[in-house]
Amino acid sequence: ADRRATGAAVIGLSAASDVRAVQTVADVAAIPARTVAHLRQHLPGTSPVPLVRTEGTVVARTGPDVLVVQDRTGGCAVRLRTDGAGAFPAGTRVRVTGFLVWNEGRIRLDGAEASADGTTVVPNPIEVAGERDVPDADGCRVRVRGSVTAVSAEHWTVAVGGA
């Protein structure tokens, strides 16, 4: 039997035919696009990590391989398999397929593949004013009238009058 070490796992194979695809290309193509709000319903630590698809508008690039994509229900980070975020400027409509993970209380699609589907206007920012918590604006464009006074993994707080 051929033995290969991958990280801390040892995989024993008696023949190459023992390896089976968990999902075929046709299976992945058939995954329905879900809204960000729907994706947020998955519990952290779900096993196995679900392969999901979403569609939205690029509102930011936060690194060579990270996009922020927003749809009508919210936004999330998308870490691409390769450094290619520059190919998707703000306003690009994208279709994204990746593995849904939770990172510090936020959802992110990891190991993602993205394809452009035209361009559109960047969504209007959510207006945030007055003293209140803002738990639902993660991954979305916002316009703050006041000062952000507290930030945590789950939310941030805005103070009245910019104090």
Side-chain angles (χ1 to χ4, degrees), residues 34-37 39-40 52-62 66-79 94 96-102 105-110 112 136-141:
R34 302 291 187 186
T35 64
V36 171
L39 298 180
R40 286 195 176 124
V52 298
R53 175 173 287 165
T54 192
E55 298 174 345
T57 303
V58 174
V59 295
R61 293 188 318 257
T62 61
V66 181
L67 303 170
V68 179
V69 175
Q70 183 177 339
D71 67 13
R72 62 181 164 54
T73 68
C76 68
V78 174
R79 185 176 303 267
V94 291
V96 181
T97 303
F99 294 96
L100 180 63
V101 297
W102 283 83
R106 297 178 173 102
I107 63 168
R108 181 180 71 216
L109 300 186
D110 265 357
D136 55 352
D138 188 48
C140 295
R141 294 182 66 225

Side-chain angles (χ1 to χ4, degrees), residues 77-150:
V78 174
R79 185 176 303 267
L80 300 173
R81 292 170 92 191
T82 59
D83 292 354
F88 303 100
T92 304
R93 294 255 332 130
V94 291
R95 292 182 180 143
V96 181
T97 303
F99 294 96
L100 180 63
V101 297
W102 283 83
N103 182 35
E104 297 180 5
R106 297 178 173 102
I107 63 168
R108 181 180 71 216
L109 300 186
D110 265 357
E113 294 286 336
S115 61
D117 188 26
T119 57
T120 188
V121 295
V122 176
N124 289 328
I126 297 169
E127 295 286 336
V128 179
E131 191 166 348
R132 68 181 197 129
D133 286 341
V134 188
D136 55 352
D138 188 48
C140 295
R141 294 182 66 225
V142 296
R143 177 175 292 125
V144 176
R145 298 198 190 282
S147 298
V148 176
T149 59

Side-chain angles (χ1 to χ4, degrees), residues 16-34:
S17 61
D18 288 345
V19 179
R20 291 185 184 85
V22 174
Q23 292 183 310
T24 65
V25 172
D27 293 338
V28 173
I31 294 171
R34 302 291 187 186

